[in-house]
Amino acid sequence: MSDQQYSALAKELSQWHQEHLLTFWKELTEDERNGLVDSISSSMDCATLDEAFKRAMATDTSAKEDLNEWLRPLAKDMLLSVDDTTDAELQDFRQLGLEQIRLGKVGVILLAGGQGTRLGSTAPKGTYNMGLPSGKSLFQLQAERIRRLQQLAGEGARIRWYIMTSEHTHTETLEYFRLNRYFGLPAEQIRMFRQRSVPCVDFEGRIIMDQKWKLATAPDGNGGIYRALKDEGILDELQREGVRYLHAHSVDNILIKVADPVFIGYCIRKEADCGVKVIEKIKPDEAIGVLCEVKGKYQVVEYSELSNESANRRNPDGKLTFNAGNICNHFFTTEFLRRIAETVLPLHVAKKKIPFIDTADAEATRGQSIKPGKPNGIKMEKFIFDVFPLAERFVALEGRREEEFSALKNADSVGFDCPSSVRNDIYRLHRKWLLNAGALEVTQSDNASDCEISPLLSYAGEALEKITASKSFHCPVHLMADDEEQQNK
């Protein structure tokens, strides 16, 4: 960088009170200087960052409206529970969904930008080995569900898979898929793209430095999907490829029905441009948001925003009144995504303890890496569900928790949403599949409850009758597709 270019950069940063970013310039190597300039230029420009910070802080510090007096449960005509649906209706939705998959009109967007930090890993969460008998990761399970669903849809079916990573997971995710040969899917069927990162700032809006040559940044939340789809050219690609319907979900649900044809078919049948799959919230204090109607618009209300009265309110049948639990499981039309791509979404503030390089003048700490003992800055993020009020035709489908949702978030020491709990949930579901398919019994012992059925063998419990009819199974049970068995011999 020439002296003239440096002066221009210094002037620009000073104008926005970010001149501290150049504190260590004279100490840096040429490569480190280039890295710092790249870090600054790849972040949002100072004016945009300043506007975003002010908007986020105004939202965070303003007196929040108490939503509880405006809360209404979802209207019955826009929420369908699979438990209240006939087999004929479910089959109709399923066949419609499979037909659209066969025609190549369905794609999947996987939100996979997170690392397994709470699991004790810095690797992408989708790569985590949960200890299943097969050793399969979340990525592999989901890839194989796509492969099986394509078989069920018929010859020529192809589900395009769009995987949103982050700056912290992109390279490692690419390499993981490459080393595993894309889990049997054609490489060109999978498209990875990065969500944007936003600089972390202190409570005055000054950018925090992670290293002397690097800014501290964080992904812009799962709501960053909309801008990323546009900026990466994926919206144009969807239009060229004729993909009309998208299923978007987070990576950490081990039971996710990827591109669920029943959900897809239901949303299409209802002519929805935006839809969501929920599960019944059973406990008032469960830490999941709920889908509600607020002032005539549908939105997710975080569990922390519910008053004790609202959270505990029950219907005459004993069920919670506000029980449509949000699990990050969404349907969008491509047309809807194009329409809202430029929408300015609310910014949510998360106050965090962010490690930083001290840029203060005090010689004792200047240049040191410091891990704060209390929150010292904020991360700004967007939420994927903040577009719900923009939908022209919004619907919801309530699935069965035991078949649809088990999240991997914590280490086993926490005791829930952890490797042992998700393993047990998939074992429980697969034992049920065997019994439903005609098995005489599936016995367990104190030492063995393991029961795993490969997604390549069955997507949702179908096609198991020939294996199970009039047979007894004793755990551990591990059923694989024929080609898997050949590979493992």
Side-chain angles (χ1 to χ4, degrees):
M1 173 179 280
S2 68
D3 292 342
Q4 186 176 4
Q5 290 172 318
Y6 173 83
S7 297
L9 176 61
K11 183 178 179 180
E12 169 76 6
L13 293 176
S14 179
Q15 179 183 347
W16 297 100
H17 308 290
Q18 304 290 357
E19 61 276 5
H20 64 287
L21 300 181
L22 299 178
T23 296
F24 307 104
W25 184 264
K26 293 181 179 179
E27 304 174 24
L28 304 181
T29 66
E30 192 64 27
D31 285 345
E32 289 171 343
R33 288 179 178 180
N34 291 335
L36 177 58
V37 173
D38 287 343
S39 187
I40 293 171
S41 61
S42 63
S43 302
M44 64 174 69
D45 63 82
C46 290
T48 303
L49 177 63
D50 185 67
E51 188 277 331
F53 169 73
K54 289 177 179 177
R55 182 158 51 95
M57 292 304 289
T59 301
D60 184 62
T61 57
S62 62
K64 290 188 176 180
E65 180 182 18
D66 186 356
L67 298 176
N68 288 273
E69 64 177 297
W70 301 101
L71 294 184
R72 301 290 183 273
L74 301 179
K76 289 186 177 180
D77 65 346
M78 59 79 59
L79 172 64
L80 178 71
S81 170
V82 296
D83 283 333
D84 298 328
T85 309
T86 67
D87 289 342
E89 288 176 304
L90 291 175
Q91 183 64 10
D92 173 62
F93 298 148
R94 183 176 182 273
Q95 287 304 119
L96 177 56
L98 288 173
E99 176 66 9
Q100 297 305 305
I101 289 170
R102 187 184 66 78
L103 295 173
K105 294 183 178 182
V106 176
V108 171
I109 302 174
L110 175 62
L111 309 176
Q115 298 167 290
T117 308
R118 282 191 277 173
L119 296 164
S121 170
T122 59
K125 187 183 285 189
T127 68
Y128 189 79
N129 185 336
M130 297 155 288
L132 293 172
S134 64
K136 292 176 181 178
S137 65
L138 290 163
F139 280 142
Q140 184 168 357
L141 291 174
Q142 291 165 28
E144 292 181 354
R145 285 174 191 149
I146 288 175
R147 288 174 58 189
R148 173 62 182 166
L149 193 53
Q150 290 176 159
Q151 291 177 349
L152 293 173
E155 186 176 352
R158 189 171 106 159
I159 299 170
R160 289 165 180 81
W161 199 13
Y162 299 91
I163 302 176
M164 187 171 80
T165 64
S166 67
E167 66 170 332
H168 303 293
T169 65
H170 188 77
T171 300
E172 198 168 347
T173 301
L174 278 172
E175 184 65 8
Y176 181 76
F177 271 78
R178 188 187 67 80
L179 290 174
N180 286 281
R181 299 181 182 179
Y182 303 93
F183 303 108
L185 290 167
E188 63 272 14
Q189 191 173 328
I190 303 171
R191 171 86 142 82
M192 296 187 193
F193 65 103
R194 290 185 183 90
Q195 69 182 115
R196 300 301 176 260
S197 291
V198 180
C200 303
V201 298
D202 63 21
F203 299 123
E204 282 72 48
R206 287 160 49 93
I207 297 172
I208 294 172
M209 298 198 71
D210 181 57
Q211 301 288 342
K212 292 180 179 181
W213 57 89
K214 184 182 178 184
L215 314 187
T217 61
D220 61 355
N222 56 23
I225 180 179
Y226 306 112
R227 187 60 186 268
L229 288 172
K230 179 181 182 299
D231 289 351
E232 294 287 334
I234 291 174
L235 293 180
D236 293 333
E237 182 179 321
L238 292 170
Q239 189 167 5
R240 287 195 307 269
E241 297 288 344
V243 178
R244 296 183 60 187
Y245 311 110
L246 282 306
H247 179 215
H249 64 88
S250 58
V251 72
D252 58 8
N253 180 5
I254 196 173
L255 299 184
I256 186 72
K257 291 182 177 178
V258 185
D260 177 17
V262 172
F263 182 37
I264 299 291
Y266 168 67
C267 291
I268 294 173
R269 191 65 82 201
K270 298 289 283 187
E271 299 182 342
D273 56 358
C274 179
V276 61
K277 187 184 285 189
V278 299
I279 58 167
E280 182 185 353
K281 184 175 180 177
I282 300 173
K283 297 188 295 183
D285 59 350
E286 184 177 7
I288 58 174
V290 291
L291 185 64
C292 306
E293 182 180 335
V294 182
K295 296 182 179 180
K297 296 286 187 180
Y298 298 109
Q299 68 179 69
V300 172
V301 177
E302 296 284 28
Y303 65 93
S304 58
E305 295 180 289
L306 291 175
S307 68
N308 187 61
E309 189 277 330
S310 295
N312 285 275
R313 191 185 308 172
R314 292 184 182 273
N315 300 329
D317 62 2
K319 291 185 177 182
L320 293 172
T321 299
F322 300 107
N323 68 352
N326 177 56
I327 55 173
C328 195
N329 194 322
H330 310 295
F331 167 91
F332 304 109
T333 64
T334 301
E335 182 181 349
F336 174 77
L337 292 175
R338 292 189 72 88
R339 178 164 65 82
I340 57 92
E342 298 286 357
T343 301
V344 178
L345 296 179
L347 284 169
H348 302 269
V349 170
K351 297 179 181 179
K352 298 287 187 178
K353 293 183 285 188
I354 304 170
F356 65 96
I357 296 294
D358 192 358
T359 59
D361 293 333
E363 291 188 12
T365 58
R366 185 180 182 276
Q368 291 186 11
S369 179
I370 297 176
K371 293 184 177 180
K374 61 181 181 180
N376 63 313
I378 67 170
K379 296 180 179 181
M380 296 176 282
E381 57 185 0
K382 306 166 189 173
F383 293 161
I384 191 171
F385 52 70
D386 280 331
V387 301
F388 290 177
L390 304 176
E392 295 176 356
R393 177 63 177 168
F394 182 80
V395 297
L397 180 70
E398 182 185 277
R400 300 182 181 101
R401 179 190 292 257
E402 66 274 13
E403 297 178 359
E404 304 253 13
F405 182 66
S406 180
L408 178 66
K409 297 182 181 296
N410 307 310
D412 270 335
S413 58
V414 176
F416 62 91
D417 293 346
C418 57
S420 59
S421 68
V422 301
R423 286 198 307 271
N424 288 334
D425 285 341
I426 205 166
Y427 296 160
R428 189 179 301 113
L429 177 61
H430 288 184
R431 290 195 298 267
K432 179 181 176 182
W433 286 3
L434 292 178
L435 292 170
N436 288 346
L440 295 177
E441 61 179 351
V442 182
T443 59
Q444 308 169 59
S445 68
D446 292 338
N447 298 322
S449 62
D450 306 10
C451 181
E452 183 184 1
I453 300 173
S454 170
L456 295 175
L457 188 62
S458 183
Y459 173 84
E462 80 289 337
L464 296 175
E465 288 77 10
K466 289 183 179 180
I467 298 173
T468 61
S470 302
K471 292 182 181 178
S472 295
F473 292 85
H474 306 281
C475 294
V477 176
H478 183 200
L479 301 181
M480 296 179 288
D482 290 341
D483 57 344
E484 288 181 285
E485 293 181 347
Q486 292 298 322
Q487 290 173 9
N488 290 338
K489 286 181 178 178

